[in-house]
Amino acid sequence: MLINGFSFKDKTAGDRNSGRRLVFIDSAVEEKETLIAGVADDFEVIVLDPAQDGIEQISDVLTRYAEIAAVHIVCHGSPGLLQLGSTRLTADNLDTYAPEFATWKIGKLETWDEPFFLKFLFPSHSPAIFLYGCEVAAGEIGQAFVRKLSRLAGVPVAASAHRIGSAAKGGYWKLEYATGKVKASLAFKKEVMAAYQGVFGGAVKCVPLSRAHFCGVGAGRVLGARLVQSFLGVQISL
């Protein structure tokens, strides 16, 4: 079902007003149709428009729900970077989106129907944001990015320092780095994860250079790094 440019896996109107676990899938990931069809039954799927700001799209969707249990984000990534729609999200522009993150009311106890102490003592899952981009939490850059996002959104964030996806391409399905205690299942059925042939990498990578970042891809990244290295007389690890 299509709602205001967002593609939803069909659910009833009542379901959308209850506490939901949402999975946002960026249109640029490989085999997105397989992922959409393979989402676990208790998830709602939203496909992001590649031509629009991904953070704004997510915020627009989240405002439509009275209660959100958790948010899973599937997109291409690299250390400290997520490619969401037309948005390249890094530690350098996270603060720009602070007003958006402040509206992400994920797992707010006061909105839950059951007594809050029961939800707190016997949680079936933890309110959190789950990032499926490859290597997003890798190294100092990646972990700093995840921690900052967690602070701005006000919930724990789970991510990986490794590739996510097909084992044949060096990936697996674990989000081993988290900023807090996180208890939740992944968004996809086990058989779908086992059969998936892609990985969520391929985003522009950033390399620290003093207080700034040098970004590039493939051969362009190497050439650009060499030019910067030659001009400034510094060493850059690729």
Side-chain angles (χ1 to χ4, degrees):
M1 177 165 59
L2 192 66
I3 301 179
N4 287 358
F6 302 109
S7 180
F8 285 80
K9 189 175 182 178
D10 199 16
K11 296 287 180 183
T12 66
D15 285 337
R16 289 194 198 95
N17 290 325
S18 63
R20 298 298 299 163
R21 291 191 287 171
L22 308 181
V23 53
F24 293 87
I25 299 179
D26 189 80
S27 296
V29 300
E30 299 175 68
E31 301 181 35
K32 73 174 185 292
E33 292 81 8
T34 299
L35 295 173
I36 294 168
V39 166
D41 293 336
D42 56 345
F43 280 86
E44 183 111 10
V45 180
I46 303 94
V47 179
L48 299 178
D49 186 334
Q52 297 184 35
D53 186 305
I55 300 301
E56 291 180 359
Q57 291 182 70
I58 293 172
S59 297
D60 188 29
V61 171
L62 296 187
T63 60
R64 301 166 188 235
Y65 290 78
E67 181 182 331
I68 302 162
V71 170
H72 295 242
I73 298 175
V74 182
C75 65
H76 286 304
S78 63
L81 188 152
L82 294 171
Q83 184 66 47
L84 290 164
S86 63
T87 304
R88 184 171 297 153
L89 190 67
T90 71
D92 291 335
N93 63 359
L94 276 173
D95 285 329
T96 303
Y97 291 99
E100 300 278 349
F101 297 134
T103 68
W104 292 16
K105 300 185 183 301
I106 302 170
K108 301 300 182 182
L109 293 174
E110 64 269 21
T111 68
W112 294 1
D113 295 330
E114 295 181 26
F116 80 90
F117 58 88
L118 293 179
K119 292 284 189 176
F120 180 76
L121 293 175
F122 307 104
S124 59
H125 55 267
S126 303
I129 297 171
F130 301 84
L131 306 177
Y132 291 68
C134 285
E135 303 175 332
V136 171
E140 181 181 347
I141 290 177
Q143 293 183 13
F145 171 83
V146 174
R147 290 194 302 269
K148 188 171 185 180
L149 175 58
S150 176
R151 176 173 56 81
L152 292 173
V155 292
V157 175
S160 179
H162 306 282
R163 287 188 174 188
I164 303 295
S166 171
K169 295 184 178 180
Y172 60 36
W173 296 87
K174 292 182 181 179
L175 306 180
E176 77 285 350
Y177 181 81
T179 60
K181 188 175 181 180
V182 173
K183 178 183 178 182
S185 58
L186 296 182
F188 302 101
K189 298 174 182 177
K190 291 182 179 179
E191 61 270 23
V192 172
M193 291 188 287
Y196 185 68
Q197 297 300 305
V199 291
F200 305 128
V204 173
K205 295 184 178 180
C206 291
V207 178
L209 180 60
S210 184
R211 296 182 180 178
H213 290 84
F214 171 79
C215 297
V217 175
R221 177 177 173 227
V222 174
L223 177 59
R226 287 175 177 170
L227 289 172
V228 173
Q229 180 172 285
S230 175
F231 180 74
L232 296 179
V234 297
Q235 295 294 321
I236 300 176
S237 298
L238 298 174

